[in-house]
Every structure is written in C-alpha cells, then in structure tokens.
Amino acid sequence: RYARTMGAPTDTPAASLAAVARAHWPPDGHGGGKGPPLDTQVIERVYAEHLAASGGPGAGVAPGTSAVSFLEQSGYLERYLWPHFDGASSSRAHALSIAHMVVEKAREGLPPWAALAATGPDAVAALLRAVLGATRAAAGP
C-alpha cells in the first residue's frame, strides 16, 4: 500500500500523509540511528488528524482505516515514534500514538510488541506509565 499511495495525486489526504512519511520516517531512514530529527508538530498533527479521531487509544476514524493502516505499513511506529520516545519528556499525543500503532499491529495480526521489546523493559514501562497518565488525565478527577 505504501508504494501505491506514494503515486497518488498530491491533493488527497493519503498523498499528504505519504509526503509526511517520506520526509520524517523514510523507508531507508533507520540505519542504526534515530533517522530524521524529531518534529513534535508532526506527531501532534498526525495524532489529531488521523489517530485521535480513530476508535483506538485516543478515541474517534476506526482502526483499519486507510490512514491508520498506512501509518502502520509505513513504519511510523518503528521508524519515528518509538526511536524518539522519551518517557520523561514525550507528549501525550506521542505516547498515545505509540499505543494506537501497537493496537493497529495487533488488529492486523502482526506482533504488536516486537518493535518495543528490543529496547528493554525500562523503556516499555516508561511508555505504559505515560499512556496510563494520559488516559487518567483524559478521564478527569
């Protein structure tokens, strides 16, 4: 799907998302380092426009929609979200985006925790604390 989307007309939402993917988490961009530098506005925008509205950990576009599937297939989790995650400083949108992509992997029958497990239990524990904190804050007092 990634390759098909890459050739889509540039005025479609899929083409817009593909352009963001090419710039921030290109297929060849994770050769040992973190790839392109973190742009928190990209994470915030992708979360607001494609994930928060989706029925998953942020709630509202159903899992499996073309945008959510595209994000999973383009390596958003492995190439951008997880390499740049910091439990102490990453935003609510960053943590919930990771949770959303883990849910999407499971929905598609892929090993959902494989990308995260390689970094060890401390990083995963920091993610879980961030996700729990974000969901508690959203639920209110």
Side-chain angles (χ1 to χ4, degrees), residues 25-44:
W25 62 94
D28 59 352
H30 67 98
K34 286 189 172 187
L38 174 66
D39 182 341
T40 58
Q41 291 180 347
V42 168
I43 292 173
E44 298 294 325

Side-chain angles (χ1 to χ4, degrees), residues 50-77:
H50 302 288
L51 298 176
S54 79
V61 185
T65 62
S66 60
V68 178
S69 291
F70 172 82
L71 288 168
E72 193 289 309
Q73 293 170 11
S74 71
Y76 186 45
L77 173 63

